[in-house]
Amino acid sequence: MKRECLTIIGTAHVSQDSVDEVKDAIYEQHPEVVAIELDRGRYIKLKQNMMGIEQDETISVSKIIKENKVTLFFTSAILSYFQSKIGEDVDVAPGSEMVGAIEASEDLGIPIALIDRDVNITLQRALNKMGFIEKAKFVFSLIASVFGYGEEEDIDIEELKNPENIDEVMEMFKDEAPSVHEVLVHERDMYLTGSILKIPQDHVIAVVGAGHKPGIEKYLDNPETLPDLKELEVIDDKKGIPWLKIFLALIPALFIVIFFLAYFSGINITGNLFDFVIISMIMGFIGSILSGSKIQSAIVGGVVAPLTIIHPLLAAGWFSGLCEAKFRKVRQSDIKNLAKIEGFKDLWHNNIFRILLVVIGTNLGVSIATLVILPSKVFIPLFMKIFGM
């Protein structure tokens, strides 16, 4: 790829003007390759949509939970919601400029190069980099936006492509969520640039989001600063000391220690054990049923609650959620329908939200038992007996 023969088109992903700009450039220049900001998975989905293939496959919630990808799945679903919502507001489907690039390229017989990183790798790296506070702020902002909280302003999509506006938006993004900005913007600038440089043909048109254009141009001018692309595809476990996990693990460990101390001190703990089991089961059941679960899911959540309290790597909500997923099949259409949600009533009829609500509700009930009821009703009295207080 020759730098002087490269044309980078910065687009807004929901802009008809961007669609026209992309198609016009391809027809006028007739490049050897059209590079587009898509990975293989998103490209296949876009092609299926172009051919009118509607897929409404069932999503395996059990697989998502077992592989510990719940956060990744819901983050991806919410981000898809935002993009679809904006597309509806401006009457342009998300990714229309990529569709335009594909249509023009196929019309002229021009090869297409997919230059973006797998979206799942990108999201997982972002989540791994986020601290607890940053993650909480991010989730809160997403939920608040879904329910329409915050300032509402009319957005001029074309104005967002203005370099000055891009810089301002990127700086705000960097200040609010530095880890997310690092992965979603900075890393992808490097990845997109590295992918473009690997294209063997000389004359290339690259279609990318306007926010990536400045970064790509910077790295094209300084290619020696780019890392190996494989380094940007590695998903490492988050480094550092997981203080929250350690704290949560210490709670059940403390419970077990108190039971053992009481037992070896000759104290009859049968009644305390009975209280522990009953209170745990009741709170797991109540948390699940109040979140709108099926009675079967609430029973499952209640039954496993005592076991999950003493096992820090398990959560009762996972089990009640898995059971709920048997009754509420999650399909691709549930993700698409997120864009049509206007308030809580619409969310209530979405299976993704209902299962998530059951998971949260069950865990909340068990957490109240663990942190409030059990200490006051079981462990503090038992502790006092051990030391004769």
Side-chain angles (χ1 to χ4, degrees):
M1 190 278 301
K2 291 183 178 179
R3 178 76 171 85
E4 62 273 17
C5 296
L6 171 66
T7 299
I8 303 175
I9 303 177
T11 69
H13 293 310
V14 285
S15 164
Q16 184 57 48
D17 287 349
S18 288
V19 177
D20 297 336
E21 181 184 2
V22 167
K23 297 182 79 168
D24 290 344
I26 294 172
Y27 281 119
E28 289 173 8
Q29 296 186 32
H30 206 301
E32 295 175 85
V33 173
V34 174
I36 55 178
E37 186 194 326
L38 289 176
D39 62 353
R40 180 157 296 279
R42 286 181 292 160
Y43 173 74
I44 291 173
K45 287 182 180 178
L46 213 55
K47 284 287 293 180
Q48 288 174 340
N49 291 338
M50 291 169 63
M51 293 184 288
I53 300 175
E54 288 289 337
Q55 290 190 326
D56 196 17
E57 299 175 352
T58 300
I59 298 172
S60 177
V61 176
S62 60
K63 184 179 179 181
I64 291 171
I65 293 177
K66 289 175 183 176
E67 294 180 358
N68 197 25
K69 293 182 179 179
V70 176
T71 305
L72 177 66
F73 172 73
F74 283 107
T75 301
S76 177
I78 293 174
L79 291 176
S80 296
Y81 158 78
F82 285 127
Q83 195 172 45
S84 298
K85 195 68 176 173
I86 294 172
E88 281 193 356
D89 291 342
V90 297
D91 199 27
V92 178
S96 291
E97 85 285 15
M98 299 299 170
V99 172
I102 294 170
E103 289 176 341
S105 300
E106 291 179 346
D107 187 30
L108 297 174
I110 300 171
I112 291 172
L114 306 176
I115 59 173
D116 203 1
R117 179 172 59 186
D118 185 290
V119 65
N120 291 317
I121 293 176
T122 296
L123 290 177
Q124 191 62 65
R125 282 178 67 96
L127 291 170
N128 286 350
K129 280 182 175 288
M130 294 171 73
F132 176 75
I133 294 177
E134 189 177 1
K135 195 175 292 186
K137 285 174 61 179
F138 181 66
V139 172
F140 177 78
S141 298
L142 291 178
I143 294 173
S145 298
V146 168
F147 286 100
Y149 295 118
E151 296 180 6
E152 289 195 12
E153 299 179 4
D154 292 331
I155 300 175
D156 188 331
I157 297 297
E158 295 309 311
E159 276 299 306
L160 290 180
K161 295 191 292 181
N162 185 307
E164 293 181 2
N165 292 336
I166 288 175
D167 290 340
E168 185 178 345
V169 171
M170 288 297 105
E171 281 304 312
M172 288 174 59
F173 187 21
K174 187 175 182 179
D175 292 339
E176 289 294 322
S179 298
V180 179
H181 178 273
E182 169 71 19
V183 177
L184 265 60
V185 180
H186 182 58
E187 281 190 5
R188 287 179 63 225
D189 287 347
M190 293 188 286
Y191 196 93
L192 292 167
T193 307
S195 298
I196 291 171
L197 289 172
K198 285 188 173 184
I199 297 174
Q201 291 86 348
D202 293 331
H203 187 190
V204 177
I205 287 180
V207 182
V208 300
H212 291 295
K213 185 175 179 180
I216 291 173
E217 291 177 335
K218 181 185 75 173
Y219 286 115
L220 285 172
D221 294 334
N222 303 278
E224 69 281 357
T225 63
L226 287 172
D228 190 304
L229 294 190
K230 291 183 179 179
E231 293 178 20
L232 300 175
E233 294 176 338
V234 176
I235 300 177
D236 292 324
D237 290 331
K238 191 173 180 180
K239 297 179 180 179
I241 302 174
W243 292 110
L244 181 61
K245 289 184 179 180
I246 292 174
F247 173 73
L248 294 176
L250 287 175
I251 294 175
L254 180 62
F255 290 173
I256 295 172
V257 167
I258 291 175
F259 272 130
F260 269 100
L261 284 175
Y263 177 77
F264 287 114
S265 298
I267 298 172
N268 186 351
I269 62 173
T270 303
N272 299 98
L273 281 171
F274 180 78
D275 290 343
F276 169 78
V277 172
I278 294 301
I279 291 172
S280 302
M281 293 178 67
I282 289 174
M283 290 305 296
F285 179 88
I286 290 175
S288 181
I289 207 72
L290 289 180
S291 64
S293 74
K294 301 287 187 181
I295 188 69
Q296 296 93 326
S297 304
I299 291 172
V300 168
V303 169
V304 301
L307 298 175
T308 58
I309 287 177
I310 61 176
H311 195 307
L313 298 181
L314 296 177
W318 296 354
F319 295 91
S320 58
L322 282 171
C323 184
E324 193 72 13
K326 298 291 184 182
F327 299 99
R328 303 185 190 277
K329 299 294 183 181
V330 175
R331 299 183 178 277
Q332 296 287 346
S333 56
D334 287 307
I335 297 178
K336 292 180 181 178
N337 289 337
L338 286 172
K340 301 175 183 178
I341 290 172
E342 298 293 340
F344 185 81
K345 184 178 179 180
D346 295 325
L347 273 175
W348 186 255
H349 294 289
N350 188 284
N351 286 339
I352 295 175
F353 176 77
R354 291 297 297 275
I355 293 171
L356 176 62
L357 195 61
V358 170
V359 173
I360 294 173
T362 307
N363 286 339
L364 183 59
V366 175
S367 296
I368 292 172
T370 306
L371 300 175
V372 181
I373 302 175
L374 288 174
S376 62
K377 297 292 184 181
V378 177
F379 295 106
I380 292 177
L382 197 57
F383 184 83
M384 295 177 71
K385 288 181 184 178
I386 294 172
F387 294 98
M389 297 179 181

